[in-house]
Amino acid sequence: MTTQFKPVEEQFAYLKKGAAEVIRGDELKSKLVESLKTGKPLRVYLGVDPTAPDLHLGHTVVLRKLKHFQDMGHTAVFLIGDFSAMIGDPTGVSETRPPLTREQVDANAKTYLEQVFKILDPKKTEVRYNSEWLNKLTAVDVVRLCSHYRLARMLEREDFRSRLDQQQPISVHELLYPLLTAFDAVSLKSDVELGATEQKFNLLVHREIQREYGLPGQVVLTMPILVGLDGSRKMSKSLGNYVGITEPPVEMFGKLMSIPDELMWQYYELITDRTPAEITALKAEVASGKLHPMDAKMRLATEVIATFHGQDAANKAAENFQRVFRDRQTPTEMRSIKFYGFAAGAVSVLEDKNGLAEIDTYTVPPSGKQKWSKFLVAWAGLESNSVAERLIKQKGLEVNGEIVTDVTAEIDFGRPSTLVVRAGKKKFLRVVVE
């Protein structure tokens, strides 16, 4: 049965949405024309080395582009580089990357797929592992593969050139990495390969090696790096400016609402399924004053979270944000901690975490009273007493709707009470003392 494709111009506009570069655009259009004519979908792949178990939104940019090809009726191939991950991609590193063990690769790959299928349709996705063919290469095969690419061109690569300039070592297996992954493209007979802009060198090697093996060269489509929550640097866990796709919906929503207004348009382009025309119309609404930027950003956050947690969870997160941050009301759900049995300068603590009660003890002064500043450091994640005191002075502490400005104010663990505590704009606690 042949696939029913949308008109080529419509496909092309949607598929190049947000792309940093298409090499080459005319070739992609020609392939789409041929696909429409024959009814045969293009083979489009994304290769990923499972080097870490958890994904953030930055990782999903290229994944979503693969979904866009899938939505247009083409074959999405998700390639897990289980073999290549044990070599280590030299891209963007200043020293040899330590290879992963088979156990690490297998564990990460399992987690990857669980997260990836929140974006891709598992029933329509072809999952492959490059060990399928790379494990079978003989020494003769590897020598033949290496003969198709010159060392001088390999050393033109910026990562390698800078390491040579700084007299940093380069291992031979790192030179093999782009050649072995090029054999992925040969084995998959891909029409299009996707990757981040930093992967451009590898992807172009893949395109060239395909031709050396008598195949039409694949189109290379690169996607830009997603800017993090700070609005200036790439999204990264190490920089703390990321949104993890497995984070609770309320946390994801709050983080997405913190991005600068001008950044949300890049997010609309790179991490949603909206068409260019829809994004343009939304921009016009904001520019004319018809739509408030915060409302546009709330739509963005809701759409993104729906992908990973479902529409109901996304709607609840939006309602929570509206209630807490726009209407200045108390959230319906918050962290709840119970303190009970005060005796001899200690209380027992009961906290519900993911449905499991955790019991601990907490040391307090013999009087049973403790300054709110110390309490906030222990239970609200504030960095230090001085930070907590500054928050109190700036009217950032609210207890049962009353603003606390006295830095000497205390919580009494010897007096039964139920307290709703707001520390700053985003931290809420329900504190029960029995």
Side-chain angles (χ1 to χ4, degrees):
M1 188 177 76
T2 58
T3 305
Q4 295 297 313
F5 298 108
K6 292 186 176 181
V8 168
E9 289 299 333
E10 185 178 338
Q11 287 192 65
F12 186 71
Y14 188 57
L15 295 174
K16 71 183 183 69
K17 180 194 78 158
E21 196 170 4
V22 181
I23 307 170
R24 299 174 37 174
D26 58 336
E27 289 179 20
L28 175 58
K29 195 170 284 189
S30 295
K31 287 177 184 288
L32 290 172
V33 168
E34 185 65 19
S35 172
L36 183 63
K37 188 186 300 180
T38 62
K40 183 180 177 183
L42 300 180
R43 289 182 59 75
V44 186
Y45 93 97
L46 169 64
V48 176
D49 287 354
T51 53
D54 297 316
L55 303 181
H56 56 63
L57 287 181
H59 297 124
T60 70
V61 171
V62 187
L63 270 171
R64 191 165 289 276
K65 184 53 62 180
L66 184 59
K67 176 186 183 294
H68 292 165
F69 276 93
Q70 191 174 65
D71 291 344
M72 291 292 107
H74 301 290
T75 302
V77 182
F78 184 70
L79 176 69
I80 295 176
D82 59 331
F83 185 100
S84 46
M86 293 187 291
I87 299 175
D89 185 357
T91 301
V93 295
S94 56
E95 57 187 28
T96 302
R97 190 192 299 268
L100 298 180
T101 65
R102 165 56 63 181
E103 291 73 21
Q104 288 173 311
V105 169
D106 289 345
N108 290 348
K110 182 177 182 296
T111 309
Y112 255 52
L113 283 176
E114 291 170 357
Q115 296 172 75
V116 161
F117 286 145
K118 290 179 181 293
I119 297 176
L120 298 177
D121 183 342
K123 294 178 182 177
K124 297 179 180 178
T125 304
E126 183 181 321
V127 179
R128 304 294 294 273
Y129 295 80
N130 64 6
S131 60
E132 293 174 34
W133 44 84
L134 295 182
N135 269 339
K136 297 174 184 175
L137 290 181
T138 65
V140 171
D141 293 329
V142 174
V143 170
R144 180 188 173 208
L145 176 61
C146 293
S147 71
H148 290 301
Y149 208 81
R150 297 193 302 276
L151 178 61
R153 289 197 59 190
M154 190 71 75
L155 294 179
E156 288 172 2
R157 179 180 185 148
E158 186 180 347
D159 305 305
F160 291 152
R161 193 170 63 247
S162 62
R163 281 161 69 177
L164 286 174
D165 291 343
Q166 296 168 25
Q167 298 186 324
Q168 294 290 324
I170 300 172
S171 299
V172 172
H173 76 277
E174 294 181 274
L175 300 176
L176 284 175
Y177 183 91
L179 295 175
L180 289 170
T181 54
F183 201 74
D184 297 342
V186 172
S187 301
L188 291 171
K189 296 181 171 59
S190 51
D191 297 299
V192 181
E193 184 177 4
L194 311 178
T197 48
E198 59 191 8
Q199 293 291 329
K200 180 178 175 180
F201 179 89
N202 287 350
L203 273 54
L204 289 176
V205 173
H206 301 176
R207 170 181 162 95
E208 188 168 330
I209 294 296
Q210 270 189 323
R211 288 171 170 165
E212 293 290 331
Y213 279 79
L215 297 169
Q218 65 184 13
V219 170
V220 168
L221 190 153
T222 60
M223 296 298 292
I225 302 298
L226 187 69
V227 175
L229 301 177
D230 54 8
S232 58
R233 298 173 294 177
K234 68 178 282 188
M235 184 172 284
S236 165
K237 283 193 174 183
S238 62
L239 295 174
N241 62 351
Y242 71 100
V243 182
I245 70 170
T246 58
E247 290 184 56
V250 169
E251 288 185 27
M252 289 182 73
F253 205 99
K255 285 186 173 183
L256 286 166
M257 292 303 295
S258 74
I259 65 173
D261 288 352
E262 62 273 13
L263 185 59
M264 72 171 151
W265 303 118
Q266 187 201 41
Y267 278 44
Y268 264 115
E269 275 204 332
L270 300 182
I271 58 175
T272 78
D273 295 331
R274 287 196 179 240
T275 65
E278 288 172 333
I279 296 170
T280 299
L282 206 56
K283 277 185 178 179
E285 283 190 59
V286 171
S288 68
K290 184 179 178 182
L291 181 68
H292 194 283
M294 183 174 283
D295 292 317
K297 207 183 296 182
M298 286 187 71
R299 290 187 194 178
L300 168 69
T302 303
E303 289 178 26
V304 171
I305 292 165
T307 298
F308 305 107
H309 295 285
Q311 193 62 54
D312 286 347
N315 291 341
K316 285 180 181 177
E319 289 165 7
N320 181 79
F321 184 89
Q322 179 71 34
R323 177 184 180 86
V324 176
F325 299 106
R326 300 188 77 174
D327 299 340
R328 302 290 292 174
Q329 297 180 38
T330 304
T332 53
E333 295 181 13
M334 68 184 84
R335 183 182 176 193
S336 185
I337 311 170
K338 182 188 289 186
F339 299 90
Y340 65 98
F342 167 68
V347 288
S348 296
V349 184
L350 186 65
E351 181 174 5
D352 191 44
K353 289 188 176 179
N354 298 323
L356 299 175
E358 291 197 356
I359 301 175
D360 204 349
T361 58
Y362 178 51
T363 302
V364 298
S367 65
K369 296 180 179 181
Q370 184 181 59
K371 285 185 178 181
W372 276 110
S373 56
K374 287 185 178 295
F375 180 87
L376 294 176
V377 172
W379 297 101
L382 272 68
E383 293 86 348
S384 65
N385 284 338
S386 60
V387 170
E389 288 179 1
R390 185 162 61 249
L391 179 75
I392 292 170
K393 289 176 183 176
Q394 294 172 348
K395 301 182 179 181
L397 173 62
E398 196 175 280
V399 179
N400 284 351
E402 297 291 327
I403 295 173
V404 177
T405 57
D406 182 359
V407 294
T408 66
E410 297 172 319
I411 177 173
D412 189 348
F413 291 102
R415 179 185 175 189
S417 58
T418 298
L419 308 171
V420 174
V421 180
R422 182 207 290 263
K425 292 182 178 180
K426 298 182 180 180
K427 291 185 172 70
F428 285 85
L429 297 173
R430 179 176 285 107
V431 178
V432 179
V433 179
E434 294 183 352

